[in-house]
């Protein structure tokens, strides 16, 4: 049973990690949420820091950090059967650590409105009005990072 597996979050460092990350994103964003495939993958994937959550045999969650003038977390995705187990929070923490290493004082993201409370629980606050991205309601959020 999945609940008995220990989750490891790590920076994606192999082709296998990246294929797992893209597989999770495909399942969550394209299949589940109906995001057009051409919007889900972009040129930022080649420059981003990606993290993956693994149960020891497969990638079950992923997220990325882009750094185009600001640190932005995006593409946070956890497979449906693995949600509500703290995995998204673990992915956020890993990317916040990466942002600190890059000297960033703040990290931002675009939260789908239905999961806004998740990000609020992890210290993110709304920074502007809501908007629609890929046909889904979002809200911009940010978090100030304390240096380690």
């Amino acid at each position: 049973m999945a609940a008995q597996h220990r989750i490891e979050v790590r920076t994606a460092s192999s082709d296998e990690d990246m294929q797992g990350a893209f597989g999770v994103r495909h399942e969550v964003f394209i299949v589940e949420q109906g995001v057009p495939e051409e919007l889900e993958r972009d040129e930022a994937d080649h420059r981003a820091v990606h993290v993956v959550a693994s149960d020891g045999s497969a990638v079950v969650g992923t997220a990325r950090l882009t750094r185009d003038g600001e640190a932005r977390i995006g593409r946070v995705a956890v497979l449906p059967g693995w949600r509500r187990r703290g995995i998204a929070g673990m992915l956020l923490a890993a990317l916040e650590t990466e942002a600190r290493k890059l000297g960033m004082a703040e990290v931002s993201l675009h939260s789908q409105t239905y999961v806004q409370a998740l990000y609020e629980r992890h210290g993110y606050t709304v920074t502007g009005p809501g908007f629609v991205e890929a046909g889904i309601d979002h809200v911009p959020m940010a978090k100030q990072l304390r240096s380690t």
Side-chain angles (χ1 to χ4, degrees):
M1 176 171 248
Q4 297 171 335
H5 292 283
R6 185 179 157 281
I7 298 298
E8 174 198 17
V9 173
R10 63 181 181 275
T11 302
S13 60
S14 68
D15 287 340
E16 184 178 13
D17 283 345
M18 290 307 301
Q19 290 308 310
F22 291 142
V24 168
R25 286 172 41 181
H26 184 275
E27 182 66 28
V28 171
F29 297 124
I30 296 169
V31 175
E32 180 183 341
Q33 296 181 351
V35 172
E37 193 165 354
E38 61 272 12
L39 295 180
E40 200 288 309
R41 298 273 297 267
D42 62 22
E43 69 282 346
D45 279 324
H46 302 291
R47 300 184 312 273
V49 174
H50 297 265
V51 292
V52 293
S54 171
D55 70 349
S57 62
V59 173
V60 299
T62 189
R64 75 178 189 185
L65 177 72
T66 57
R67 310 168 303 263
D68 295 326
E70 66 177 334
R72 176 166 291 165
I73 291 175
R75 306 301 199 270
V76 179
V78 176
L79 292 175
W82 290 90
R83 293 179 187 154
R84 299 195 164 285
R85 299 176 195 218
I87 295 171
M90 294 167 66
L91 294 165
L92 291 172
L95 289 179
E96 290 166 7
T97 297
E98 292 297 322
R100 282 187 202 92
K101 288 179 187 175
L102 295 167
M104 303 306 251
E106 179 182 83
V107 65
S108 66
L109 55 81
H110 291 166
S111 170
Q112 293 182 1
T113 55
Y114 86 97
V115 290
Q116 178 180 336
L118 163 80
Y119 295 107
E120 289 171 339
R121 283 193 303 273
H122 291 281
Y124 289 79
T125 57
V126 174
T127 59
F131 59 95
V132 176
E133 186 172 61
I136 300 169
D137 291 333
H138 284 73
V139 64
M141 302 184 83
K143 178 179 181 177
Q144 297 297 314
L145 300 176
R146 289 181 276 175
S147 53
T148 53

